[in-house]
Each structure stands twice: as structure tokens, then as C-alpha cells.
Amino acid sequence: MKRAGVVTIVVGLSFLVPATASAAPPAATAIGPGAELLIPVTARSSSVCTADFVFTAGGATFLGMAAHCAGIGGSDAGSGCAEPTLPVGTTVLVHHPDGLTSHATMAYSSWVTMQQRGERDPQRCEFNDFALVALNAADTALVDPTVPRLGGPTGLDVDGVPSGTTVYSYQPNDGATPVKKGTSLGDGAAGQIHYVATTPPGVPGDSGSGYLDAHGAAFGVLSTEFDDAQKSNGVGDLAAALDYAGRYGGLGRVALVAGTAPFTRSSEL
């Protein structure tokens, strides 16, 4: 992929760890945005990713993640219409804030769905990188949709993120600053992808992290890291991903759950 004169290398932001390894749980008090997700890829390794937001569909509760977290074709998050992937029904391990781990299920994957449908839109194949993890009924009482340290989301962004505006993400699983603040570098592919630069950038393990705009609206899901001077990130458009999931995912309409605490402005961080 290329962007405005910068040659970029696109990589998936999940990473593999031995099946017995475990990272520290996120600094939160409930299951929700920022939860660490482990997807067993082989008997000896798991892909580590981060939950973005909480969603509902058909009376069930879900965590969102990047579809490439269940990919088995290598480290690159290439075309979701071609990359090998684990199937719907795959077990996902959800780390609780208290250190416990529960079993959940990948109930939808844009990669699986696009491959089953024979999707031919090259931009959608590249940028539609979204999955839903169904929580067990016993775990739904532990869910809080609020983004820790930030509040929100206040709703779903549907009109893009203008270049130069402030963006935020909660990424507690990589050992860096949990709250990442940065700048939008503009939208691409007819709004299906957003380019952002944060300090520090999203790195492997942060895949799937959710992004909020300057008003606290959820606009995207972390998908890629670019090999440019800023180490900028590619963030898939959440509204487009939810629309596709609702039309073709077999779950009915998928709705973002708003946070129970107000969004915290940058001056209050």
C-alpha cells in the first residue's frame, strides 16, 4: 500500500506468544474496551490482540477485535479476501481485569464473511478488518462499555475524521502509555481507512484497539502499522465495518454500546 508519496509496509498488529504465556491484564475494573484477547492459532501459540468496544446484536453481547487477529497466513495483514483465517466458532480467551480468563467465541469475522461471499471490492478486501467475540452469558454482568481513562464512546462517527484533528485510543497491553493521544492524518479509500499518528504508535498486540475522535465518538479499529518516519497507523472505519457485519454477518443489526461515563477532554487527561 502507498500513501501520499510515502512507501509503506503494512503489517498486522497482532503477535504470537507461547500458549502458556500471559500478559498483564488491562488497567480497568470490568471487561470491555482494552481487554486482552488471546486467539489460539496453534497448539503451541496464540495471537494477542486488544478489544475495541462493546456491541450488541440479537440480544447477545460482544467485544470487537480485528479480524486479522484470527489470521493464520503469516505476520502480514494482507487482503482479507485471500488470507487464511481461523473459522467462526474459534475460541477466544478473554483476560479479566482481576487476572482470571474466560472462554468466548468468535461469532463473526469480516475475513471469513468476505471469503464466503466472494467479495471483489479490493479496498473492502484490504480495509474491512473487524470481528466480533461473543461473551458467555455469565460474563455479561462483568461488562462495562466505557473506555477506561477516557470515558465514552459517546456514539458512532459516520462522517470521517478530518486531517489535523485530535484522536485518542486506549491500548493498555503493550507496556507503553495506556492512553494514546495523536492526530488524524486524513481518510482514504472513500472513508474505509483512517490514517493516524499517536505517540507512541500502536504496535503488535494493540491490534483491534478502538479509536475515538475529539468528541469521544468511536470511529475506527486499529489494523496496521506503516513503515514511515512517524510509524503511523491505519485504522479501519468502524461504521463501514458494522454496516457490512449487519448486512452479511448473520447476526442482525450490530449496535455500538455507548460508555456509561462522559468522555474526558484532552485538557483533563
Side-chain angles (χ1 to χ4, degrees), residues 35-50:
E36 185 184 65
L37 306 175
L38 277 71
I39 303 89
V41 176
T42 71
R44 296 184 178 182
S45 64
S46 295
S47 175
V48 180
C49 285
T50 299

Side-chain angles (χ1 to χ4, degrees), residues 56-82:
T56 58
T61 301
F62 304 86
L63 296 176
M65 75 173 188
H68 80 255
C69 294
I72 55 176
S75 61
D76 289 350
S79 170
C81 296

Side-chain angles (χ1 to χ4, degrees), residues 142-156:
L142 305 175
V143 171
D144 186 344
T146 306
V147 180
R149 303 274 299 273
L150 285 169
T154 58
L156 179 66

